[in-house]
Structures are given as structure tokens and as C-alpha cells.
Amino acid sequence: MKPLSMHIMAGVMALAVQAADVAPARATSHTGDAKQGNGTAAPSASHTQATPAPALAAPPLTASALQQAAHTLPGLPAEIQSAYAARGWKPYWMTSQASQADRIADLTAALTQAEAHGLTLPALHGSQTESPATYELTLSWAAATMARALSYGALNSPASDAERVAPPSLASLLDQVASAASPGGNILHRVPQTPLYTTMMAALAKSREVAARESWPKVPTSGKLTPGDDAAEVPDFRRRLAASNAYHADDATMASTLYDETLAAAIKVFQDEHGLEPDGVIGKSTREALNMSPAMRVDQLKANLDRLRWLPDHLSDRYLLVNIAGFEAWLFNKGAVEMSTPVIVGKDQQQTPSFSNAIRSVEFNPSWEVPRSIAMKEILPKLAKDHGYLAKEDMEVYEGWENGGQVINPDSVDWASLARNDRLPYRFRQKPGPKNSLGRVKLLFPNSYDVYLHDTPSRGLFNRRVRAFSHGCMRVGKPLELASVVLGMPLDKVQEAVSSGKQIRHKVTDPLPIHITYLTSWADPGNGAIRYGSDVYGRDAALIAQFHPAGKSSDDDLDSGILKARAVLAHSGQPPVAETPVAEAAPAGLPAVPEASAQAPVTDTTAPPTNAVAPAPAQEAPAPALPAAGAPKADAQKASAPQAEAQKVDPPKAELPKATPAQAPAKVAMIPDVPPRKVNPPAAAAAPARPAHDTVPTAKKPPEQNKVEAEAVPSVTASTETVAASTSPETATAPTQATPESKEGFFSFIKPAEKNILSQ
């Protein structure tokens, strides 16, 4: 196949992606010229390169010519053929209309930008004068493929990586693009509306420049070095850092086998820049990061650009973006970072899921209703050994697992006997206060994963670079500041509410969208510098493997993790990685949608949305996780973190419900010029049921455990009133399934995060 660029008309120049302004100049021929919702200019087909010279119109293609070409064109998707069949095999592009040449030039100008987005498109065959039928079909193929890639992502993702919106067919996307006044503008306007995307495109361009001119030597893959050690492999690390201009020394020092302080200082800088604990210890994770070649860094950025394309469309002017792999959250306001905060995320065994929602309430001085699984597995064994455990942890015991049970004296219970018989007819609640695992504040966005943002009394863990210590919830480094900006409440008022010691919940008047993603490489939103996370969950390999089909891998660029990732994809039922363009691999289809999980609701005087009742989230529950194959682990994950801090916090998540069949997605309505990329989560819709994934088994609970394992936050008499005791829980209303066009139905059409982290 000839490369796409060889078929573009004369005068079309290669795209130059600039760090300061990646988005091309806006076109004037379509309605997508307006700025995006966050103030960032949307790309269009009319960019900085020269306008292609119009070609002479050719005679229209006949139906028989197109049909014959379709039958002989290798790899042409059946969806493209069906699109032509539905219109009687009439051409989209080779129509002999007066605008034909201009429309084709507009489209091909957009297709040349695929590489800048980290995409590879099907190659064009023929031309307008030679093999026009083949040229027509491959134009449509490439156009629909790029439209889907920019809107929904190009890579297949394991269920552990993120929720995904099921994309429409290539046929419907082709109809949208071809009916637009500017086909190229229609495609390019589909990019994610976040400044992170454009800065990451710039980072990709820079990384490609480095990969083109530099080659980094490998270092030994096993062993451990600490400053002061003397080892024959030390010069290997000097040469590796010197190759990337991160270390400089004379010949004698370069040959030295002593791991001295100067080399340790360079290693610490490298570790910090690559999401590792900057301790100077050269272990497995540091060695893996050092062995990442420039070409692999390019692949890593391409994979993370695709992750951004998985986000919902129209992220709004103001939203919170949590980067799990970067252990940080950014609050964006019209394209600028209003505030940022470090976060602590789930351990590898209890991974924080990636999904979108909206923060709807903030609670000060929260209590913690301990889930049954935690009570059985962790608290009961401790009580059997130490009857004073509950008093030390400021916990109360309640009769039965239904709300409204009486408080009982823990000394009246034979805890050792219950532990021996694996029975627990009591529930535990940790009272608000300095010992509470949720700290002073929690921010809720009701979701089927039962996770949320909250404070923590264990502040020392924020001093760690790799902060994967929780059971899945996200602990916030600046909880009071975040509560202040989310509520629009002065910080002194927030501090006053906390100091009162009263359990108070405030409704968020304008729910703040929150998007939890997993970026292992990104451009810093503040200064544009390329940053790397530690890939604590080992999710990159499965994506990067798709850039290198089996049999095409380079020993210099790929390690065993890529090969393991292929095995994981094959075992989980994902489509095999074939020798096809990356952008042709569509995200997996629509998952099943389960019934809504039972949760303990919260009553506020503020009326919920008219279309649903939003239940309050349950607490986290711990569960064993299946290890991800080929997962590079940070050195800190193997170090023994302070046990008192790592175990005291974050209640684990409750079990999820079983799945029920889901409807197939309806065809997305055609909008000629600027179609929506994806359906957005509503600002104040009910929490949806979580789809199940049939490739990861979920452990079953005994019948009595099917009852509510939710946070029993009592009802409040007003949105800013003190929380009072509740004895009669409300009934949560399950959300109604909707079609993809319905914004209210967004969360009914998403792929689940790792199921094994939520099972009991």
C-alpha cells in the first residue's frame, strides 16, 4: 500500500504541530468555527498548510463500478459497503458536482492530520483520474475511520481501563461526514474539548523528534542498587542517563563502578520525572522506565491521547479531572487550571475505576458505616483478640444490618465465638471525629462503583511520590480548598463548618462534572512539560501492543510486557491484534446493563431531578484483584508503606449487582457540520447501574449479604442542616435505560472498570 500522503493533492503540506498552538486555524466554510466549550479553538480542515489545488471534475461513478471495486478491495469493512448499498451505490465524493474538487481537497487536508493525533488510517488507493472507484471507497473508509477514532478512540481497551461509550457504525459516521458542508472540518471538530489534548499533541510531536535523533542504551533488567553500592552494572546507568542528556561526567567517572551521590542525584530526578519514588534506589520499576526507548515513549503518548478521546464530549467550562496514574486532580475553568491537588488512589488490588459523573453534595464531619465485608474480614477478627478495638477506633455497634437498629454494648457480645462461627449479626459505624477514616470532608457523586473523594487523617502518605494506598476511593490532599470551590463557599465558612463537629451535608447547586481517567503520560497543564506516571495498574501494555501487530514487534522498542498484554487481550475475549491500521480497531461493543445496586439513600430538602432519585453512595469494600499481565510496578508499591496509614483509611466498596441484557445502541442522529462526539453525563441525573463484564468472575456473597452495604448517612432537614438520625430509609429508584442520543442515559452505555476490584 502506498502511504496516504502520496495521494494528497499537490500543495498540501505536512502539518507542523507547535507546542504553543497545536490547533490549526479555523475554517470559514462550516459552522464548527466557534470556540469549544472550554474556550479552546476547535481544529478544522482549514489549517496552516497551503490550500490544495482543485482538480478537474471527473465523470460520476456508476453503481456497477463501485460494486466491483468494493468486492476486490482488500479489507474494506462491511459497514462501508452497507453504507453504499443503502444509497444504491451512489458515490459520496466522485459526483461530478461543481464542489467535488473542493470537498475532496477539504477532506484529504483533514486526513493528513491523522499522524499528529497519533492515528494511522487506511491507505488511499487510486486517484480521481486513475481507479476512481477504488479512490472513492478508500476516501470513505479513511474518513469514517478517522471520525470514529477522534470521537470515541481508536484502540480496544480491557475492561479495567475505562468506561467507554459504544460508538456508532462506520456507515452512520460516513453519512455525517459526507453530509457536512466541510467534511474535513466535521472530522477535526470531534477532538476532545480539553486543553490537555492539544498540549499532549505537542508533546507527541516533541517525542517524535527525540525518537528520530536519539537512541538510548539498555540497562540490566533485574537487581537492586542503592547509593554507595559498587557494582559492574553502574556504568550502564551512567551511559543511559548521558544518552538522554540527564547526566554528564568525564571518562574516568563514566567508567566508575561506584554508585556515587552525583549519579544518585540524577537517578532521583529521573524517577521524579517518570512518576517513581525519588529515593535513588534502582529497582525493577526504575530499570523498566530507563529501558523505555524514545519510540516506546511515542507509543505511550499515543495511547494516552486515545484515553482522552474516551472522555465524554462537551466537558463543560468547569470540571474536575482526576488523573489516577499521575496521583493528581486538576480543576479546569474555561481551559485554565483553577486549582490542583494531590490525590491518593486505589492499590493495585483495589483499583480506582475510570469514569465520569458529577459532584452533587459535600458532607462535613462524615461518619462511616462499615460495609459487612469489612466488618467480617477485618474488624471481627480484631475484636476477637482485642475487645477494646472499637473504643480505640471510636466505633459504635448496632443491632442487625437494617437501619434503625439499637446501639448495643460491645462488652455484651462474645466476639470470639462469632469469629469462630463466621457470623456477624451486628453492624459498625465509626463516629465523626479526628479518627474517622473519611477525615473531615467527603465529596459525593453517586455511582455504581461506590467511590468518592474524601479527606484522610493519614496525611503522611501525601509525601510519597507514588500514592496508590486506598481501597479505591480518592483521598484529597486539599479537601477543604476543593470543598470551597465546589460549593462556592468561602474557605473560612468551610473551616467553620468543620470546626463545629456537626455532621452537615450541603447540596451542590451546580453539580461539578468529574472525569476520572488514567494518564501515564501527559503534558503538564501548567507549563506544557511532558510528565510520566508510574502505570501502577499495568494498563499501558495492552494498548501499546496494538501499535505493533504480532510478528511486527521490535526488540528495541518492546519488552515482554507487550507480549503478555497480547495474551491478556486474547484471554479476555478482546479482538486479536491484527495487521490493520490502528484507527480501524473500534472500541468494544455495548455491554450489558445491570439493575441498580441497593444503596442507603440520603434525604435532603433540595428536590432531586424529576427524572430519577439519586441514591447516596455506599462505602468501599475490599476484594482481591486479578494481577494485570506485564504490569510495570513502581518501586514504592513493593516498599512497606506505613501500615497504620495505609490500612486505617478508605472503607472498601460494596458488591455490584448482576447484569441484565442491554439494548443495542440506536443510530446517532446526523448533524451536518458539528455533530456531538459522545453523549454527556447530565449535571444532576441519578447514579446509573454499572454494566457487568462477563470475562472477570465475581465472587458471590451468601444470601444475607445481599442486603444494603451502604453508607447509612441519616436524613437532613435542610441542605445545610445538621444531619439527624434516620430510622426509615427511602427506596432508591433505578435509572431508566436510554438510547445513546439521550444524555440522561449516558451511564447506561458505558463499559465497566475492573470488576474484580469490586467483587466480594
Side-chain angles (χ1 to χ4, degrees):
M1 292 185 179
K2 295 182 180 179
L4 175 63
S5 57
M6 296 179 62
H7 299 276
I8 305 302
M9 300 179 182
V12 178
M13 300 167 61
L15 172 67
V17 180
Q18 302 298 326
D21 185 10
V22 180
R26 304 186 189 99
T28 57
S29 59
H30 64 91
T31 60
D33 301 330
K35 286 187 177 181
Q36 305 181 53
N38 62 359
T40 305
S44 71
S46 176
H47 44 76
T48 53
Q49 61 190 32
T51 302
L56 297 176
L61 291 173
T62 63
S64 59
L66 277 173
Q67 284 182 293
Q68 182 177 1
H71 292 152
T72 58
L73 182 59
L76 182 67
E79 293 174 281
I80 299 298
Q81 298 186 49
S82 66
Y84 279 93
R87 55 191 283 117
W89 291 95
K90 294 180 181 178
Y92 285 98
W93 315 106
M94 307 291 291
T95 61
S96 292
Q97 296 179 357
S99 61
Q100 170 187 307
D102 290 337
R103 287 174 53 77
I104 293 177
D106 179 77
L107 174 60
T108 53
L111 297 180
T112 59
Q113 298 194 33
E115 185 178 1
H117 293 271
L119 302 173
T120 301
L121 299 182
L124 299 185
H125 288 247
S127 68
Q128 295 186 63
T129 55
E130 298 180 8
S131 303
T134 302
Y135 186 63
E136 160 82 23
L137 292 172
T138 52
L139 265 180
S140 294
W141 185 3
T145 299
M146 187 170 179
R148 183 162 67 180
L150 291 184
S151 295
Y152 301 91
L155 303 176
N156 291 312
S157 63
S160 62
D161 210 323
E163 292 177 343
R164 300 285 295 275
V165 176
S169 67
L170 289 176
S172 64
L173 288 167
L174 176 58
D175 287 338
Q176 293 176 26
V177 172
S179 63
S182 169
N186 178 281
I187 292 174
L188 294 178
H189 204 82
R190 296 167 180 266
V191 297
Q193 298 181 13
T194 169
L196 274 182
Y197 190 82
T198 52
T199 53
M200 284 179 64
M201 284 180 66
L204 175 62
K206 291 179 181 178
S207 291
R208 279 177 167 148
E209 292 175 1
V210 172
R213 68 172 185 264
E214 295 182 13
S215 177
W216 301 334
K218 299 288 185 179
V219 300
T221 57
S222 62
K224 181 178 180 180
L225 285 175
T226 58
D229 288 349
D230 194 304
E233 64 177 343
V234 170
D236 294 329
F237 294 95
R238 298 185 196 277
R239 286 189 291 269
R240 165 60 186 86
L241 293 177
S244 58
N245 296 314
Y247 178 82
H248 303 279
D250 56 33
D251 292 344
T253 303
M254 291 293 293
S256 172
T257 59
L258 177 64
Y259 184 16
D260 58 22
E261 288 301 323
T262 304
L263 178 58
I267 288 290
K268 290 177 182 178
V269 171
F270 176 89
Q271 289 171 327
D272 185 59
E273 291 177 346
H274 292 78
L276 303 172
E277 198 70 43
D279 53 11
V281 177
I282 302 176
K284 183 176 183 290
S285 295
T286 299
R287 292 170 186 267
E288 288 177 344
L290 286 166
N291 280 331
M292 290 281 284
S293 69
M296 292 178 73
R297 289 301 186 194
V298 169
D299 284 347
Q300 191 177 15
L301 280 164
K302 288 163 60 178
N304 284 285
L305 275 169
D306 209 63
R307 284 190 174 113
L308 284 180
R309 293 191 284 262
W310 303 348
L311 293 175
D313 194 16
H314 307 305
L315 299 180
S316 80
D317 286 347
R318 198 163 179 258
Y319 59 91
L320 185 70
L321 186 72
V322 179
N323 182 10
I324 299 169
F327 311 107
E328 190 170 10
W330 303 292
L331 179 63
F332 285 97
N333 192 349
K334 296 183 178 179
V337 177
E338 182 176 336
M339 74 163 286
S340 63
T341 176
V343 295
I344 293 171
V345 300
K347 297 174 287 188
D348 188 33
Q349 294 79 14
Q350 288 96 28
Q351 299 179 8
T352 297
S354 300
F355 65 101
S356 294
N357 207 292
I359 300 174
R360 298 177 175 89
S361 63
V362 176
E363 186 171 331
F364 299 115
N365 303 307
S367 62
W368 174 35
E369 183 80 10
V370 182
R372 185 184 182 95
S373 57
I374 290 299
M376 290 288 294
K377 296 176 183 178
E378 298 185 18
I379 296 180
L380 183 57
K382 293 176 181 178
L383 269 173
K385 297 178 181 179
D386 180 8
H387 289 191
Y389 173 80
L390 294 178
K392 294 176 183 177
E393 297 301 321
D394 212 8
M395 289 184 175
E396 296 176 316
V397 185
Y398 287 80
E399 207 171 40
W401 282 93
E402 299 295 335
N403 286 336
Q406 297 294 319
V407 177
I408 66 171
N409 183 353
D411 294 333
S412 65
V413 179
D414 186 352
W415 300 110
S417 175
L418 291 176
R420 285 193 302 269
N421 293 283
D422 199 26
R423 292 182 59 251
L424 185 61
Y426 307 104
R427 60 189 172 91
F428 306 112
R429 175 183 292 174
Q430 190 176 36
K431 295 183 287 187
K435 293 184 179 180
N436 191 279
S437 296
L438 306 183
R440 302 161 294 173
V441 178
K442 69 176 179 180
L443 299 94
L444 298 101
F445 37 100
N447 61 87
S448 56
Y449 300 101
D450 302 326
V451 298
Y452 42 85
L453 298 159
H454 67 83
D455 184 19
T456 174
S458 304
R459 309 300 299 175
L461 293 177
F462 286 105
N463 296 326
R464 303 291 292 270
R465 178 63 181 85
V466 178
R467 297 185 289 272
F469 299 112
S470 81
H471 289 93
C473 277
M474 292 145 283
R475 309 176 200 167
V476 183
K478 302 177 183 177
L480 302 188
E481 293 87 341
L482 183 59
S484 174
V485 298
V486 169
L487 289 172
M489 178 186 295
L491 184 58
D492 61 341
K493 294 295 184 182
V494 170
Q495 294 169 333
E496 181 181 324
V498 169
S499 299
S500 72
K502 297 177 181 179
Q503 192 173 356
I504 304 171
R505 178 174 294 185
H506 290 263
K507 288 286 188 181
V508 179
T509 304
D510 187 12
L512 179 70
I514 177 173
H515 306 284
I516 306 168
T517 187
Y518 185 88
L519 301 178
T520 59
S521 61
W522 66 96
D524 189 288
N527 56 25
I530 303 176
R531 303 289 295 176
Y532 298 96
S534 58
D535 193 17
V536 289
Y537 300 158
R539 295 177 177 178
D540 274 0
L543 299 184
I544 294 176
Q546 296 173 61
F547 297 128
H548 303 275
K552 299 294 184 180
S553 303
S554 165
D555 292 337
D556 293 334
D557 293 341
L558 301 175
D559 60 15
S560 60
I562 302 301
L563 303 178
K564 291 178 183 178
R566 290 202 186 99
V568 170
L569 287 173
H571 178 72
S572 64
Q574 294 286 342
V577 180
E579 295 186 34
T580 55
V582 169
E584 293 177 52
L590 191 67
V593 180
E595 297 291 336
S597 59
Q599 303 185 52
V602 173
T603 303
D604 282 323
T605 56
T606 306
T610 56
N611 62 333
V613 177
Q619 302 298 323
E620 298 180 85
L626 300 177
K633 304 288 186 233
D635 295 338
Q637 292 303 98
K638 296 205 171 185
S640 58
Q643 293 301 314
E645 294 188 353
Q647 296 180 4
K648 182 177 179 61
V649 289
D650 280 353
K653 296 178 286 295
E655 182 184 16
L656 294 175
K658 296 181 180 179
T660 56
Q663 297 177 354
K667 187 173 180 180
V668 174
M670 185 194 314
I671 302 177
D673 286 309
V674 189
R677 287 177 54 242
K678 295 183 278 290
V679 186
N680 305 315
R690 173 189 176 276
H693 190 259
D694 57 7
T695 61
V696 182
T698 301
K700 295 182 179 180
K701 291 183 179 181
E704 68 271 16
Q705 285 187 251
N706 292 327
K707 298 178 181 179
V708 175
E709 287 188 4
E711 174 204 7
V713 177
S715 61
V716 295
T717 57
S719 60
T720 58
E721 293 284 336
T722 302
V723 177
S726 174
T727 57
S728 57
E730 297 174 8
T731 302
T733 302
T736 303
Q737 184 172 333
T739 61
E741 289 97 343
S742 169
K743 293 186 178 182
E744 287 72 20
F746 172 81
F747 289 106
S748 297
F749 290 86
I750 50 184
K751 289 186 66 176
E754 188 82 38
K755 186 173 183 178
N756 56 18
I757 69 171
L758 300 171
S759 59
Q760 298 297 317

